[in-house]
Amino acid sequence: MLLSSCVRRVETGYYSIPLVDRLVSDSLSELQALAKRTGDPSGAIVLFGEPLRCLAISERMMGGDEFDNVDARLVKDGLPDFSGETIVSLLDFANPPYDSLSVSGKDSLALREIAVRGALAALDSTIGCKMLVICSPALAPEGGNDVVDFYGKIGCDVPVIFSADTTFSFTKACYKTLRERNLFTHDIAYPVARLMMVLGGESSRRPLLFDDNQVPDSFADTVGVFAPNTYVSHVQNKHNP
Protein backbone atom coordinates (compact mmCIF):
# COMPACT_ATOMS: atom_id res chain seq x y z
CA MET A 1 0.00 0.00 0.00
CA LEU A 2 2.84 2.39 0.78
CA LEU A 3 4.45 1.71 -2.59
CA SER A 4 1.25 2.19 -4.52
CA SER A 5 0.63 5.49 -2.78
CA CYS A 6 3.95 6.89 -4.02
CA VAL A 7 4.12 5.71 -7.61
CA ARG A 8 1.84 4.69 -10.46
CA ARG A 9 2.36 2.09 -13.16
CA VAL A 10 2.13 3.59 -16.63
CA GLU A 11 1.70 2.16 -20.12
CA THR A 12 5.41 1.47 -20.55
CA GLY A 13 5.47 -0.72 -17.45
CA TYR A 14 7.60 1.80 -15.55
CA TYR A 15 6.40 3.14 -12.21
CA SER A 16 6.32 6.91 -12.63
CA ILE A 17 6.78 9.13 -9.62
CA PRO A 18 3.96 11.61 -8.88
CA LEU A 19 6.05 14.58 -10.04
CA VAL A 20 6.33 13.15 -13.55
CA ASP A 21 2.61 12.39 -13.62
CA ARG A 22 1.80 15.97 -12.56
CA LEU A 23 4.11 17.53 -15.13
CA VAL A 24 2.70 15.43 -17.95
CA SER A 25 -0.88 15.96 -16.83
CA ASP A 26 -0.62 19.71 -16.30
CA SER A 27 1.82 20.84 -18.99
CA LEU A 28 2.09 18.19 -21.71
CA SER A 29 1.65 20.50 -24.70
CA GLU A 30 4.13 23.01 -23.30
CA LEU A 31 6.67 20.29 -22.55
CA GLN A 32 6.24 18.75 -26.00
CA ALA A 33 6.95 22.15 -27.54
CA LEU A 34 10.16 22.40 -25.51
CA ALA A 35 11.11 18.85 -26.45
CA LYS A 36 10.90 19.72 -30.15
CA ARG A 37 13.65 22.28 -29.65
CA THR A 38 16.10 19.72 -28.28
CA GLY A 39 18.36 17.15 -29.89
CA ASP A 40 19.91 19.33 -32.59
CA PRO A 41 23.63 18.70 -33.23
CA SER A 42 24.24 22.43 -32.75
CA GLY A 43 22.83 22.22 -29.22
CA ALA A 44 24.54 21.87 -25.87
CA ILE A 45 25.79 19.06 -23.69
CA VAL A 46 24.09 19.77 -20.36
CA LEU A 47 25.68 18.67 -17.09
CA PHE A 48 23.39 18.61 -14.06
CA GLY A 49 24.05 17.85 -10.42
CA GLU A 50 26.17 18.90 -7.47
CA PRO A 51 28.36 21.85 -8.53
CA LEU A 52 31.76 20.29 -7.90
CA ARG A 53 30.91 17.14 -9.85
CA CYS A 54 29.58 19.12 -12.81
CA LEU A 55 32.61 21.39 -12.84
CA ALA A 56 35.02 18.46 -12.71
CA ILE A 57 33.43 16.88 -15.77
CA SER A 58 33.25 20.22 -17.57
CA GLU A 59 36.99 20.76 -17.03
CA ARG A 60 37.78 17.34 -18.47
CA MET A 61 35.61 18.07 -21.50
CA MET A 62 37.17 21.46 -22.06
CA GLY A 63 40.67 20.11 -22.58
CA GLY A 64 40.46 16.33 -22.68
CA ASP A 65 42.16 14.50 -25.54
CA GLU A 66 41.61 10.74 -25.33
CA PHE A 67 40.27 10.00 -28.82
CA ASP A 68 41.27 10.49 -32.42
CA ASN A 69 38.49 12.79 -33.61
CA VAL A 70 38.53 11.30 -37.11
CA ASP A 71 38.03 7.62 -36.41
CA ALA A 72 37.33 7.54 -32.62
CA ARG A 73 40.34 5.37 -31.85
CA LEU A 74 41.47 5.66 -28.24
CA VAL A 75 44.61 7.64 -29.15
CA LYS A 76 45.39 11.32 -28.71
CA ASP A 77 45.33 13.50 -31.82
CA GLY A 78 46.24 16.89 -30.33
CA LEU A 79 42.67 18.22 -30.52
CA PRO A 80 40.13 18.47 -27.69
CA ASP A 81 37.69 15.57 -27.95
CA PHE A 82 34.78 17.98 -27.61
CA SER A 83 35.99 20.53 -30.14
CA GLY A 84 33.19 22.79 -31.30
CA GLU A 85 30.86 21.74 -28.49
CA THR A 86 29.00 23.90 -25.99
CA ILE A 87 29.09 22.51 -22.46
CA VAL A 88 26.46 23.91 -20.11
CA SER A 89 26.97 23.18 -16.42
CA LEU A 90 23.61 23.42 -14.66
CA LEU A 91 24.83 23.78 -11.09
CA ASP A 92 22.40 22.69 -8.40
CA PHE A 93 22.97 24.94 -5.41
CA ALA A 94 19.51 24.24 -3.98
CA ASN A 95 19.63 20.59 -2.94
CA PRO A 96 23.14 19.26 -2.15
CA PRO A 97 24.66 17.47 -0.43
CA TYR A 98 22.75 14.60 -2.02
CA ASP A 99 24.49 12.07 0.20
CA SER A 100 22.59 13.43 3.19
CA LEU A 101 19.36 12.40 1.47
CA SER A 102 20.54 8.97 0.37
CA VAL A 103 21.97 7.78 3.69
CA SER A 104 18.67 6.66 5.19
CA GLY A 105 17.07 5.49 1.97
CA LYS A 106 13.72 6.92 3.01
CA ASP A 107 14.40 10.04 0.98
CA SER A 108 14.99 8.27 -2.33
CA LEU A 109 11.85 9.94 -3.68
CA ALA A 110 13.42 13.34 -2.99
CA LEU A 111 16.49 12.36 -5.00
CA ARG A 112 14.34 11.11 -7.86
CA GLU A 113 12.47 14.40 -7.92
CA ILE A 114 15.73 16.36 -7.97
CA ALA A 115 16.82 14.41 -11.05
CA VAL A 116 13.53 15.11 -12.84
CA ARG A 117 13.60 18.80 -11.97
CA GLY A 118 17.12 18.98 -13.35
CA ALA A 119 15.94 17.31 -16.54
CA LEU A 120 13.11 19.83 -16.72
CA ALA A 121 15.51 22.75 -16.28
CA ALA A 122 17.68 21.35 -19.08
CA LEU A 123 14.74 21.82 -21.48
CA ASP A 124 14.95 25.59 -21.09
CA SER A 125 14.82 27.10 -24.56
CA THR A 126 17.95 29.20 -23.93
CA ILE A 127 20.04 26.04 -23.51
CA GLY A 128 19.17 23.93 -26.55
CA CYS A 129 19.95 20.60 -24.91
CA LYS A 130 21.16 17.72 -27.10
CA MET A 131 22.49 15.50 -24.30
CA LEU A 132 21.85 15.41 -20.56
CA VAL A 133 24.51 14.17 -18.16
CA ILE A 134 23.42 13.47 -14.58
CA CYS A 135 26.79 13.98 -12.94
CA SER A 136 26.02 12.86 -9.38
CA PRO A 137 26.03 9.11 -8.63
CA ALA A 138 23.52 9.61 -5.79
CA LEU A 139 20.85 10.60 -8.34
CA ALA A 140 21.55 7.74 -10.72
CA PRO A 141 20.11 4.53 -9.16
CA GLU A 142 16.49 5.54 -9.72
CA GLY A 143 16.56 9.17 -10.80
CA GLY A 144 18.24 8.40 -14.10
CA ASN A 145 15.44 6.07 -15.13
CA ASP A 146 12.87 8.61 -13.97
CA VAL A 147 14.41 11.13 -16.34
CA VAL A 148 14.33 8.64 -19.22
CA ASP A 149 10.68 7.94 -18.36
CA PHE A 150 9.85 11.66 -18.24
CA TYR A 151 11.59 12.44 -21.53
CA GLY A 152 9.88 9.50 -23.21
CA LYS A 153 6.44 10.75 -22.17
CA ILE A 154 6.98 14.20 -23.67
CA GLY A 155 8.68 13.02 -26.84
CA CYS A 156 12.17 14.25 -25.97
CA ASP A 157 14.76 12.14 -27.82
CA VAL A 158 17.76 13.38 -25.84
CA PRO A 159 20.28 10.76 -24.65
CA VAL A 160 20.64 10.69 -20.85
CA ILE A 161 23.99 9.65 -19.39
CA PHE A 162 24.10 8.52 -15.75
CA SER A 163 25.83 6.01 -13.50
CA ALA A 164 26.02 5.18 -9.80
CA ASP A 165 29.59 3.91 -10.32
CA THR A 166 32.03 6.53 -9.03
CA THR A 167 34.71 5.24 -11.45
CA PHE A 168 32.46 5.66 -14.48
CA SER A 169 33.98 7.80 -17.25
CA PHE A 170 31.33 10.32 -18.23
CA THR A 171 33.59 11.85 -20.86
CA LYS A 172 34.08 8.55 -22.68
CA ALA A 173 30.37 7.74 -22.48
CA CYS A 174 29.46 11.18 -23.82
CA TYR A 175 31.98 11.01 -26.64
CA LYS A 176 30.84 7.57 -27.80
CA THR A 177 27.15 8.46 -27.57
CA LEU A 178 27.56 11.69 -29.51
CA ARG A 179 29.44 9.82 -32.20
CA GLU A 180 26.96 6.92 -32.38
CA ARG A 181 24.03 9.32 -32.71
CA ASN A 182 25.85 11.75 -35.02
CA LEU A 183 25.32 14.63 -32.61
CA PHE A 184 28.74 16.26 -32.83
CA THR A 185 28.77 19.77 -34.29
CA HIS A 186 31.90 18.93 -36.35
CA ASP A 187 32.95 22.55 -35.90
CA ILE A 188 36.69 23.20 -35.67
CA ALA A 189 36.88 25.33 -32.54
CA TYR A 190 37.71 25.07 -28.89
CA PRO A 191 34.86 23.91 -26.63
CA VAL A 192 32.76 26.66 -25.08
CA ALA A 193 31.58 26.49 -21.48
CA ARG A 194 28.50 28.13 -20.05
CA LEU A 195 27.47 28.19 -16.41
CA MET A 196 23.89 28.22 -15.17
CA MET A 197 22.47 27.65 -11.73
CA VAL A 198 19.48 26.28 -9.85
CA LEU A 199 18.79 28.10 -6.60
CA GLY A 200 15.64 26.35 -5.38
CA GLY A 201 11.90 26.48 -5.37
CA GLU A 202 9.77 23.55 -6.51
CA SER A 203 7.81 25.60 -8.97
CA SER A 204 10.87 27.19 -10.58
CA ARG A 205 11.51 25.75 -14.04
CA ARG A 206 13.96 28.26 -15.42
CA PRO A 207 17.64 28.04 -14.57
CA LEU A 208 19.53 31.28 -14.05
CA LEU A 209 22.71 32.51 -15.66
CA PHE A 210 25.53 31.94 -13.21
CA ASP A 211 26.13 34.90 -10.92
CA ASP A 212 28.97 34.92 -8.39
CA ASN A 213 26.91 37.15 -6.12
CA GLN A 214 24.17 34.53 -5.76
CA VAL A 215 26.41 31.59 -4.94
CA PRO A 216 25.97 30.38 -1.35
CA ASP A 217 28.81 31.33 0.99
CA SER A 218 29.85 27.70 1.28
CA PHE A 219 30.80 27.75 -2.43
CA ALA A 220 32.60 31.08 -2.47
CA ASP A 221 35.40 31.22 -5.10
CA THR A 222 34.93 27.55 -5.91
CA VAL A 223 34.06 27.92 -9.58
CA GLY A 224 36.98 30.11 -10.61
CA VAL A 225 39.47 28.15 -8.53
CA PHE A 226 38.21 24.62 -9.08
CA ALA A 227 37.34 24.94 -12.78
CA PRO A 228 39.44 27.77 -14.26
CA ASN A 229 39.05 26.78 -17.93
CA THR A 230 35.29 26.48 -17.56
CA TYR A 231 35.02 29.76 -15.70
CA VAL A 232 37.17 31.76 -18.13
CA SER A 233 35.24 30.41 -21.12
CA HIS A 234 31.95 31.26 -19.42
CA VAL A 235 33.02 34.84 -18.74
CA GLN A 236 34.23 35.28 -22.31
CA ASN A 237 31.09 33.84 -23.88
CA LYS A 238 28.24 34.53 -21.44
CA HIS A 239 26.77 37.32 -23.57
CA ASN A 240 26.86 35.28 -26.77
CA PRO A 241 23.64 33.54 -27.87
Side-chain angles (χ1 to χ4, degrees):
M1 291 296 292
L2 177 61
L3 179 63
S4 63
S5 70
C6 294
V7 294
R8 181 175 67 83
R9 179 175 286 276
V10 294
E11 295 173 358
T12 61
Y14 186 83
Y15 283 96
S16 296
I17 59 174
L19 175 60
V20 169
D21 285 342
R22 288 198 305 272
L23 290 171
V24 172
S25 175
D26 297 343
S27 309
L28 181 58
S29 59
E30 176 188 349
L31 293 170
Q32 288 175 328
L34 290 174
K36 288 181 179 179
R37 301 175 186 174
T38 64
D40 191 279
S42 64
I45 302 167
V46 180
L47 314 178
F48 172 74
E50 294 164 298
L52 292 183
R53 291 188 181 277
C54 292
L55 293 170
I57 294 173
S58 177
E59 282 293 283
R60 288 196 289 271
M61 286 184 164
M62 289 296 292
D65 178 15
E66 297 180 88
F67 293 91
D68 185 313
N69 288 1
V70 174
D71 56 21
R73 287 181 301 145
L74 196 59
V75 292
K76 296 181 179 182
D77 63 358
L79 296 173
D81 291 333
F82 295 91
S83 294
E85 300 301 321
T86 299
I87 302 157
V88 176
S89 295
L90 186 52
L91 309 176
D92 181 9
F93 288 106
N95 301 292
Y98 299 154
D99 287 343
S100 66
L101 294 174
S102 61
V103 169
S104 65
K106 68 178 181 180
D107 291 316
S108 63
L109 180 60
L111 289 169
R112 297 170 72 179
E113 290 179 346
I114 290 169
V116 171
R117 290 195 186 96
L120 178 62
L123 297 179
D124 187 272
S125 58
T126 64
I127 294 178
C129 179
K130 69 176 178 182
M131 169 182 280
L132 176 63
V133 183
I134 301 175
C135 301
S136 301
L139 298 182
E142 293 179 281
N145 289 323
D146 288 311
V147 172
V148 172
D149 174 54
F150 171 51
Y151 277 2
K153 285 179 169 58
I154 63 173
C156 181
D157 188 28
V158 166
V160 182
I161 308 297
F162 59 94
S163 176
D165 183 355
T166 57
T167 66
F168 180 76
S169 175
F170 285 98
T171 53
K172 288 182 179 179
C174 289
Y175 186 90
K176 291 179 179 179
T177 301
L178 289 172
R179 190 172 181 89
E180 289 168 359
R181 298 188 60 160
N182 197 27
L183 285 174
F184 274 112
T185 64
H186 300 298
D187 292 340
I188 302 175
Y190 283 107
V192 170
R194 292 174 58 202
L195 295 171
M196 304 192 78
M197 59 200 307
V198 175
L199 295 178
E202 280 196 25
S203 61
S204 176
R205 294 190 180 189
R206 301 209 66 179
L208 305 173
L209 188 67
F210 179 81
D211 182 350
D212 286 295
N213 296 321
Q214 297 189 63
V215 175
D217 291 340
S218 58
F219 290 92
D221 298 326
T222 297
V223 173
V225 173
F226 190 78
N229 295 320
T230 295
Y231 186 72
V232 169
S233 180
H234 167 75
V235 172
Q236 292 173 341
N237 297 283
K238 66 180 179 180
H239 296 301
N240 294 334

